[in-house]
Every structure is written in C-alpha cells, then in structure tokens.
Amino acid sequence: MKTSFIFKSFFAAFVLFASAALVSCEKENETPEPEASKPAAVSLKYTNYETEDMLKYCNIVMEYTDVNGTKVETITATSWTKEFVTSLPCSYSFKKTYTLKADKDVASVEKIQFGNRMYAYSWEILDANGNKTNKGSFGGTSSSMTTSGSKIAEQVPTGRLNMEKTFTFDKDGNELN
C-alpha cells in the first residue's frame, strides 16, 4: 500500500509537470506578430474615365485630397490616373466637377455620349517592408450612355453629373467607407 501511495504521488507529480510543460510550449508558439508584418501603409490607384464628347463640350476638374493636401487638375484625356502610397491611418477623396465650355453650343448637338460616374480603383494594404498583406479591394463603375446635347446642357449646371468618392483607412488597414 505504501508502494502504491509513492507510485501515485510520482505519477501525479509527473502529470503536473508534463501539463505545465505543454502549456509552456503552447505559450511559446503564441509569439506576437512581428512588427514588420503588421499593416503599415495603403497603396491606392484611382482612375477616372471620360468620353470624347464630354471632353469636347465640358471643362472637367478633379479635386483630390491626400495626406499632402488638396490638389486640382483639369482632365484633358479620356483616362486620368493617380497612385498613392500612404502610411496608415489615412484618407483620400476625389471630387469631379463638370462645367459647360462657353465656346461650345452643346444644347444644339443631337446626340452626345457621356459617362455616368466612370471610374476604377484598387487598393492594397502593405506591411512595414512594403509587402502586400491579404487586405485589398478593387471596384468602380463604367456605363457610357447617349443622350441629347440639350439634356447635358440642363444637367451640367445643376451638378447632377458631378461625383465624389472617398476612401478612409484605420490604423489596421480596414476601409471605413
């Protein structure tokens, strides 16, 4: 009986130390994520598209804002692209405004092709080493339509064709929009 008690005591001590060792190993495997692999920046590409008709009859201005402030550019081509890489957290905004060209009579044009909010974007979250993480997205809209010049002459001054798009990212690389 005394032998059984000693055996059970040793066995209990062995089980206790073995379970402590397993828990210790488990905690060692739960190393924190290295700082270099955490989200650190966002790479964003934004492209605006226009039709030849809209470029002919309208002044098109893109106002865009990033961490460096607000800039304004006149769109003169069917495709306009900006690319940014910015530390997290950050925000970008794009605001497109149309005005009618004074020297063009769009109202008398029978048919005009225009784009309804035609843009594309893609973004990826980068770690501190500039490597892509598993976070990212792409999207946009693209629909070209035909209408009369008189409709465009009515819609442009009201701002109906203007558009705005904003992208906001938190410190972990989550898009907040």
Side-chain angles (χ1 to χ4, degrees):
M1 187 147 178
K2 192 175 186 183
T3 313
S4 175
F5 176 74
I6 293 173
F7 175 75
K8 288 180 184 176
S9 297
F10 279 122
F11 183 72
F14 174 77
V15 169
L16 180 67
F17 286 120
S19 62
L22 287 174
V23 169
S24 172
C25 289
E26 189 175 304
K27 286 186 180 179
E28 285 177 18
N29 292 337
E30 292 178 12
T31 56
E33 185 178 9
E35 201 62 35
S37 65
K38 290 182 179 179
V42 63
S43 173
L44 177 95
K45 180 179 181 179
Y46 184 89
T47 303
N48 179 76
Y49 301 101
E50 296 298 333
T51 65
E52 290 289 340
D53 287 345
M54 292 303 282
L55 290 169
K56 182 177 179 180
Y57 294 105
C58 295
N59 296 309
I60 307 165
V61 174
M62 182 67 77
E63 179 180 320
Y64 61 98
T65 303
D66 65 4
V67 295
N68 298 317
T70 300
K71 297 172 185 71
V72 177
E73 291 186 23
T74 300
I75 295 178
T76 59
T78 56
S79 179
W80 175 91
T81 300
K82 289 295 170 191
E83 295 184 51
F84 307 91
V85 175
T86 307
S87 297
L88 293 170
C90 62
S91 183
Y92 307 95
S93 67
F94 300 88
K95 182 180 179 183
K96 180 170 54 172
T97 306
Y98 294 88
T99 56
L100 295 172
K101 289 184 177 178
D103 63 337
K104 303 286 184 179
D105 182 18
V106 70
S108 65
V109 177
E110 188 176 317
K111 289 183 180 179
I112 187 169
Q113 188 177 25
F114 73 102
N116 185 19
R117 294 168 164 56
M118 296 191 318
Y119 66 90
Y121 66 86
S122 63
W123 57 264
E124 296 174 312
I125 302 300
L126 308 176
D127 65 18
N129 294 323
N131 299 317
K132 297 174 187 175
T133 66
N134 62 352
K135 292 182 181 179
S137 183
F138 63 92
T141 64
S142 178
S143 60
S144 179
M145 298 176 239
T146 303
T147 190
S148 67
S150 61
K151 286 277 190 195
I152 294 296
E154 291 172 14
Q155 292 181 350
V156 168
T158 65
R160 188 160 182 207
L161 299 179
N162 298 348
M163 70 152 268
E164 196 165 347
K165 179 73 179 154
T166 301
F167 302 89
T168 303
F169 301 91
D170 68 12
K171 66 179 180 60
D172 297 319
N174 300 310
E175 186 182 19
L176 302 176
N177 303 4

